[in-house]
Amino acid sequence: MMNAPIRIAIHGGAGTMPKRLMTPEIEAACHDSLQLALQAGYSAMAKGGTAVDGVEAAVRALENAPMFNAGKGSVFTNKGQHEMDASIMNGETLDCGAVAGVSNIKNPVTLARCVMDNSEHVLLLNDGAEEFARLHNIVFEDDDYFFTQLRYDQWQKAMKKKITVLDHVDDKKFGTVGAVAIDAKGNLAAATSTGGMTNKLYGRVGDSPLIGSGTYANNASVAVSCTGHGEFFIRQVVAYDLHCLMTYKGMGLEEAANHIVHDKLKPIEAEGGLIAIDAKGNICLPFNTPGMYRGWMKSEADYFTGIY
Amino acid sequence: MMNAPIRIAIHGGAGTMPKRLMTPEIEAACHDSLQLALQAGYSAMAKGGTAVDGVEAAVRALENAPMFNAGKGSVFTNKGQHEMDASIMNGETLDCGAVAGVSNIKNPVTLARCVMDNSEHVLLLNDGAEEFARLHNIVFEDDDYFFTQLRYDQWQKAMKKKITVLDHVDDKKFGTVGAVAIDAKGNLAAATSTGGMTNKLYGRVGDSPLIGSGTYANNASVAVSCTGHGEFFIRQVVAYDLHCLMTYKGMGLEEAANHIVHDKLKPIEAEGGLIAIDAKGNICLPFNTPGMYRGWMKSEADYFTGIY
């Protein structure tokens, strides 16, 4: 049994608010929330938990923080609802679980893990996923829990500007959350959770619940969680692309991750970023937006949080 | 402008009925349906249509044939409904569209194409996708249209055997359909459509509507459509894996496709197969099941259909 160094990295979404709107109070609150999430994930593994436990704990903390677009604080759909997506993957076994379009689930990442652990399926949708959640005693919250004034105002603004425009939403607030980790046995895991796009229509789903696009983990290479304009991340199969560039092409983590974010995504105006941790514990957090809420922790005393 | 040879390949699912149950009548009907679908796809391209037109036409024909598990003839869910998934991808532009969990849509592949052509999104779910379909005059059919005695009997049998078993369905009739094509300009496209698993629960979705897992097309390498036990195809990101093995590792189509189906999927008991066509027009149809309904057409006079 290995005793590798425990490490975790997280994101709270690429595409942060412009610097001119940022106040010292909001900035401090963001750093605090990121630090709490890192601590939650790190502690879970320090107590003997797996990398899966670590990423689940970190993403739960980010879902519970109202400032990020996942769990509490999720954006409003066109109908004034909250439809959330999440996924999780175990790099040791390649087991994975995901849910898309779920409402009233307090922690979608925990439901995704429940799908992974307690069903033979990978991806469950909407009320089917909620039915599965009830059978497994997953925690539900009423609509009020998910309400935040900021997201409501953003929705109202998007509605007013775009009320007759059916297929274009330009309020591209991301704020998806995610975590990647390596545990003491050297196993990798990744998880992602999101409330999707403000004012979204038609049950639109982005890359967050899609294994290979928004989330991927494989002990042979890397654990990765993505954030950005989801449609591009689906077309480019971003998360699995990182694995393939490392495994088939022999690129290192840094080279492969930067190649994807800056050379492949940036030229096609695919805004976003990713967080990744490789089998040796190297961490890479590239993004092509002005900022990405992010952080990593290598020990209780050695950690980083950043926004721009 | 190139004037490349038009080619198309199709599948009607890996995991065919056992040879001992096959009658000459059923066998002939299968070959006829496959040939009609090949003809539909080939003709669309011969008349100047694109590879996208070709795969859409072929998959529509397979959806309309009641023997395959897609469109008419889709299997029953646990609640006696039909929930269908489909996806399509353009290898020239990497544009793609997909729908999951849709009911009463006559041709899910055409709805997936409509998402690709008329929205900025890739994947729409359930009633959101149906709302989008109504806005774009997609053809709906009532429940009776989708009823087939065979699928009803299979559902009743699955219900009886497994009524208290929530997460395991061993009636692994696949019968997903798909097509890949190269048009006269040398552009590639792929499409996949399915009714999912008999007696499926909780809005389960397999690989068919997932870009990179069940469907992928890229002029740089290959167009591919998968069929089989979807959860494994999601974990292995099979369709994009074929692209990566060819592009990053330099494998030829035959070597890469056989490697995936026989060396990667077979050892983990992931039953299924795929159809693929590369940028040079080479066709490969590997499967690790006793059979796969399949076929290809290189000209009106040069075609093949097979079951075992």
Side-chain angles (χ1 to χ4, degrees):
Chain A
M1 194 181 295
M2 290 173 60
N3 206 355
I6 293 166
R7 288 180 180 178
I8 187 160
I10 61 172
H11 69 79
T16 56
M17 69 174 72
K19 264 190 177 166
R20 60 186 163 75
L21 296 180
M22 184 60 91
T23 65
E25 291 73 27
I26 301 176
E27 197 162 348
C30 288
H31 283 286
D32 284 353
S33 291
L34 290 168
Q35 198 186 325
L36 275 172
L38 286 170
Q39 190 64 55
Y42 188 88
S43 300
M45 292 189 288
K47 286 178 204 152
T50 63
V52 170
D53 296 328
V55 295
E56 184 195 357
V59 170
R60 283 174 64 96
L62 293 165
E63 287 174 339
N64 294 346
M67 66 191 56
F68 303 113
N69 177 23
K72 185 177 178 65
S74 286
V75 299
F76 287 79
T77 68
N78 179 259
K79 293 186 176 153
Q81 299 164 329
H82 304 283
E83 289 176 357
M84 300 170 287
D85 312 319
S87 61
I88 193 165
M89 187 160 185
N90 181 335
E92 183 189 8
T93 59
L94 303 190
D95 283 341
C96 42
V99 291
V102 297
S103 297
N104 299 104
I105 303 293
K106 185 180 183 191
N107 291 111
V109 71
T110 295
L111 179 53
R113 181 174 182 173
C114 184
V115 172
M116 174 171 80
D117 290 347
N118 300 301
S119 88
E120 64 169 5
H121 301 314
V122 170
L123 177 56
L124 304 184
L125 304 186
N126 297 33
D127 41 351
E130 291 156 23
E131 192 183 331
F132 181 84
R134 273 184 286 270
L135 276 174
H136 289 87
N137 300 313
I138 293 291
V139 178
F140 282 68
E141 294 286 353
D142 59 22
D143 289 346
D144 290 347
Y145 171 82
F146 296 93
F147 181 92
T148 55
Q149 193 64 46
L150 172 72
R151 299 304 188 188
Y152 184 79
D153 294 344
Q154 284 177 345
W155 173 50
Q156 291 296 318
K157 201 173 134 197
M159 289 275 280
K160 263 181 208 144
K161 278 167 66 183
K162 297 288 170 184
I163 193 72
T164 60
V165 181
L166 293 173
D167 286 322
H168 187 263
V169 179
D170 76 353
D171 180 17
K172 281 175 187 146
K173 276 278 165 198
F174 304 125
T176 296
V177 308
V180 294
I182 185 165
D183 64 26
K185 292 185 182 167
N187 290 319
L188 298 177
T192 310
S193 181
T194 191
M197 293 174 100
T198 296
N199 207 26
K200 73 181 172 188
L201 286 158
Y202 312 126
R204 174 265 184 188
V205 165
D207 61 315
S208 301
L210 305 184
I211 298 301
S213 294
T215 302
Y216 187 73
N218 189 326
N219 277 5
S221 56
V222 70
V224 52
S225 169
C226 300
T227 165
H229 194 151
E231 278 72 10
F232 289 99
F233 283 69
I234 296 174
R235 291 184 193 114
Q236 300 289 328
V237 202
V238 169
Y240 192 65
D241 198 38
L242 182 59
H243 164 82
C244 291
L245 285 170
M246 294 174 68
T247 309
Y248 299 152
K249 214 162 181 176
M251 283 189 183
L253 172 65
E254 194 95 8
E255 185 191 4
N258 282 309
H259 177 63
I260 290 174
V261 171
H262 298 295
D263 303 340
K264 294 181 83 168
L265 294 174
K266 181 85 178 174
I268 56 170
E269 294 178 7
E271 296 185 337
L274 59 83
I275 58 171
I277 189 161
D278 72 13
K280 292 174 190 156
N282 297 306
I283 291 168
C284 189
L285 317 171
F287 53 96
N288 61 32
T289 43
M292 179 170 82
Y293 300 103
R294 65 200 184 281
W296 50 253
M297 185 172 276
K298 297 180 182 177
S299 78
E300 303 272 350
D302 186 13
Y303 66 89
F304 159 83
T305 59
I307 301 179
Y308 298 102
Chain B
M1 194 179 296
M2 288 173 61
N3 206 355
I6 292 166
R7 287 177 181 181
I8 187 162
I10 61 172
H11 70 79
T16 56
M17 69 174 71
K19 264 190 176 164
R20 60 187 163 75
L21 296 179
M22 185 59 92
T23 65
E25 291 72 25
I26 300 176
E27 198 161 350
C30 288
H31 284 286
D32 284 351
S33 292
L34 290 168
Q35 198 186 326
L36 275 173
L38 286 170
Q39 190 63 55
Y42 188 89
S43 300
M45 293 189 287
K47 285 178 204 151
T50 63
V52 170
D53 296 328
V55 295
E56 185 195 357
V59 170
R60 283 174 63 97
L62 293 164
E63 286 174 340
N64 295 345
M67 65 191 54
F68 302 113
N69 177 21
K72 185 177 179 66
S74 286
V75 299
F76 286 80
T77 67
N78 178 261
K79 295 188 175 152
Q81 298 163 330
H82 303 283
E83 290 176 355
M84 300 171 287
D85 313 317
S87 61
I88 191 164
M89 187 160 185
N90 180 335
E92 183 189 8
T93 60
L94 303 190
D95 282 340
C96 43
V99 291
V102 297
S103 296
N104 299 104
I105 303 293
K106 185 180 183 191
N107 292 111
V109 72
T110 295
L111 179 53
R113 180 173 184 175
C114 185
V115 171
M116 174 170 80
D117 290 346
N118 300 301
S119 88
E120 63 169 6
H121 302 314
V122 170
L123 176 56
L124 304 183
L125 304 186
N126 297 31
D127 40 353
E130 291 157 23
E131 193 184 331
F132 181 85
R134 273 184 286 268
L135 276 174
H136 289 89
N137 301 313
I138 293 290
V139 178
F140 282 69
E141 294 286 354
D142 59 21
D143 289 346
D144 290 349
Y145 171 81
F146 296 92
F147 181 93
T148 55
Q149 193 64 46
L150 172 71
R151 298 304 188 188
Y152 184 79
D153 294 345
Q154 284 177 346
W155 173 50
Q156 291 296 317
K157 200 173 136 197
M159 290 273 281
K160 262 180 210 145
K161 276 168 67 180
K162 297 288 171 184
I163 194 73
T164 60
V165 180
L166 292 173
D167 286 323
H168 189 263
V169 179
D170 77 352
D171 180 15
K172 280 174 187 147
K173 276 276 166 201
F174 303 126
T176 295
V177 307
V180 293
I182 186 166
D183 64 27
K185 292 184 183 169
N187 290 319
L188 298 177
T192 309
S193 180
T194 191
M197 292 174 99
T198 296
N199 206 26
K200 72 180 171 188
L201 285 158
Y202 312 126
R204 174 265 185 186
V205 165
D207 61 316
S208 302
L210 304 185
I211 299 301
S213 295
T215 302
Y216 188 73
N218 189 327
N219 276 5
S221 56
V222 70
V224 53
S225 168
C226 300
T227 165
H229 194 149
E231 278 72 10
F232 290 99
F233 283 68
I234 295 174
R235 291 184 193 112
Q236 301 289 329
V237 202
V238 169
Y240 192 64
D241 198 38
L242 182 58
H243 163 82
C244 291
L245 285 170
M246 293 174 68
T247 310
Y248 299 152
K249 215 163 180 176
M251 284 188 181
L253 172 66
E254 195 95 9
E255 185 190 5
N258 282 310
H259 176 63
I260 290 173
V261 171
H262 298 294
D263 303 339
K264 294 181 81 167
L265 295 173
K266 183 85 178 175
I268 56 171
E269 295 178 9
E271 296 184 338
L274 59 83
I275 58 170
I277 187 161
D278 71 14
K280 292 173 192 156
N282 296 307
I283 290 167
C284 189
L285 316 171
F287 53 96
N288 62 32
T289 43
M292 177 169 83
Y293 300 103
R294 66 201 184 278
W296 52 253
M297 184 171 276
K298 297 180 181 176
S299 78
E300 304 272 350
D302 186 14
Y303 66 89
F304 159 84
T305 59
I307 300 179
Y308 298 102

